[in-house]
Amino acid sequence: MTRTAPQLVKETLTQLEERFPALRDYSERQRQHTAEDLAHITDFLATALYTDDDELFTGFLTWTGSILTTRGVPAHSLHPALDALSAQLKDFPRALRILGHARRSLDTGTRTGPGTGPGTRVDTGPGPGPGTRTDTGPSSGLGSSV
């Protein structure tokens, strides 16, 4: 999957335009940030596949969802990206298993993986609000675009 990651990101971005038409009106900078966010998602998915660790990807995705929620963007805004990835990886059962596990965790609000125990704090600062991006983290572009 690592050899095809750039193609996955490109195709996912194309599919997001169909699944989320507002993306078509985004500035070049917003599109670039969204592509970067998708690259992070595919990197974590590839690592989870390599290590056969569903929790690695789920932990990253639920953390991303919590960052988005803190910034006023619902975590379920990640679903169109997961749908697009699932459609492209339909012939890879392990990838679908990992994506499905992450989706269920987003749906239930369950945080899993490293750094999710009692007392865990996600420090995101005051947050700029939905639709804006600071260059402080990988997940704010996708939330503003999905």
Side-chain angles (χ1 to χ4, degrees), residues 4-122:
T4 61
Q7 293 141 310
L8 273 174
V9 170
K10 184 178 179 180
E11 181 59 28
T12 301
L13 194 55
T14 299
Q15 287 188 28
L16 283 177
E17 287 180 345
E18 296 169 15
R19 296 169 190 264
F20 186 74
L23 182 66
R24 298 176 194 145
D25 297 328
Y26 279 19
S27 70
E28 186 57 37
R29 183 172 181 186
Q30 287 172 308
R31 290 178 61 77
Q32 178 184 355
H33 290 306
T34 300
E36 290 169 2
D37 293 341
L38 292 171
H40 290 295
I41 290 170
T42 57
D43 286 347
F44 269 83
L45 179 57
T47 303
L49 283 165
Y50 182 75
T51 61
D52 198 29
D53 185 354
D54 295 20
E55 297 300 322
L56 180 72
F57 183 72
T58 299
F60 168 73
L61 205 65
T62 55
W63 173 82
T64 300
S66 70
I67 297 296
L68 295 176
T69 300
T70 300
R71 293 183 175 161
V73 178
H76 71 267
S77 66
L78 292 165
H79 286 304
L82 296 176
D83 293 343
L85 285 168
S86 293
Q88 293 173 80
L89 298 171
K90 66 181 182 228
D91 295 329
F92 299 94
R94 287 181 41 223
L96 293 177
R97 183 196 74 218
I98 291 170
L99 289 165
H101 186 253
R103 171 185 285 286
R104 287 186 298 279
S105 291
L106 278 177
D107 288 344
T108 62
T110 305
R111 292 217 34 221
T112 60
T116 59
T120 300
R121 180 170 172 244
V122 177

